[in-house]
Amino acid sequence: NAGVTQTPKFQVLKTGQSMTLQCAQDMNHEYMSWYRQDPGMGLRLIHYSVGAGITDQGEVPNGYNVSRSTTEDFPLRLLSAAPSQTSVYFCASIYSGTTNTEAFFGQGTRLTVV
Amino acid sequence: SQKIEQNSEALNIQEGKTATLTCNYTNYSPAYLQWYRQDPGRGPVFLLLIRENEKEKRKERLKVTFDTTLKQSLFHVTASQPADSATYLCALDSGGYNKLIFGAGTRLAVHP
């Protein structure tokens, strides 16, 4: 059982380049989210999804796009990379049941924009 | 504005003592609050969830309290061990649909 798989683990981009961070989960969870983590800032929500075909903005959505065509996949697209987007990105898949709600995180993608 | 605040200063304690971490929030009315552990270079790992109608929750050496009047949760690690050293994050459901918002985390260092 792989859980949440993020690729790549590391990436260096030049300013203005675009790229897609991949996230896949095999737990059949409806809810998925993307966060960025910067020193001293904690995890900040970029976009989230409550199911296939449904996405919404989080706290810091500018410069990022998402789509959710299947339950399993939730890719994050950087449209035109900027140095301010240098960060560690985490994808989360959220189990929501009657007695518990729990987020499962991927191992993260460390992105550097030069 | 809406905020979740955790003490940004690291908490240093001696092995065997109880560590207490604080999470305060403003302008949220969460149905639940969660605590996660994060080790360097890793994603957060879920520890405990406490609902708005619960005052206290325990799991092994961990205890969480939730005071919706004070808008505060306390996270206790009893009989602390060096292996408990990590950053601890609180999170809450910011408006339904499991839209989880996190605090910045507090680093706990347990010294032998």
Side-chain angles (χ1 to χ4, degrees), chain A residues 58-73:
Chain A
E59 302 169 281
V60 289
N62 292 340
Y64 307 95
N65 271 356
V66 292
S67 60
R68 184 98 180 270
S69 56
T70 66
T71 299
E72 293 78 20
D73 299 301

Side-chain angles (χ1 to χ4, degrees), chain A residues 2 5 10 14 21 38 50 62 67 69 73 89 108:
Chain A
T5 302
F10 302 93
K14 293 182 179 179
L21 279 63
D38 303 292
V50 300
N62 292 340
S67 60
S69 56
D73 299 301
Y89 291 84

Side-chain angles (χ1 to χ4, degrees), chain B:
Chain B
S1 63
Q2 296 176 312
K3 287 191 298 184
I4 304 174
E5 293 182 318
Q6 296 184 252
N7 194 338
S8 59
E9 291 186 15
L11 178 62
N12 291 283
I13 65 167
Q14 209 67 29
E15 182 176 8
K17 302 292 187 184
T18 296
T20 299
L21 285 66
T22 305
C23 176
N24 295 297
Y25 60 92
T26 55
N27 295 323
Y28 287 110
S29 297
Y32 62 79
L33 190 144
Q34 300 172 319
W35 285 89
Y36 289 78
R37 170 183 173 139
Q38 187 174 26
D39 292 291
R42 308 291 294 270
V45 175
F46 172 82
L47 296 174
L48 280 166
L49 176 149
I50 186 165
R51 297 194 182 277
E52 60 180 338
N53 59 349
E54 297 176 314
K55 295 293 185 187
E56 181 180 300
K57 201 80 162 287
R58 291 176 185 261
K59 178 182 177 182
E60 298 173 352
R61 293 184 295 107
L62 307 179
K63 185 179 86 171
V64 172
T65 63
F66 192 12
D67 188 325
T68 55
T69 301
L70 291 178
K71 295 187 181 295
Q72 180 181 80
S73 175
L74 299 178
F75 177 80
H76 306 273
V77 183
T78 60
S80 60
Q81 304 167 0
D84 295 324
S85 298
T87 296
Y88 292 87
L89 305 164
C90 67
L92 53 80
D93 182 4
S94 66
Y97 304 106
N98 298 309
K99 185 179 175 184
L100 294 176
I101 304 297
F102 283 78
T106 298
R107 189 166 65 85
L108 171 65
V110 182
H111 303 282

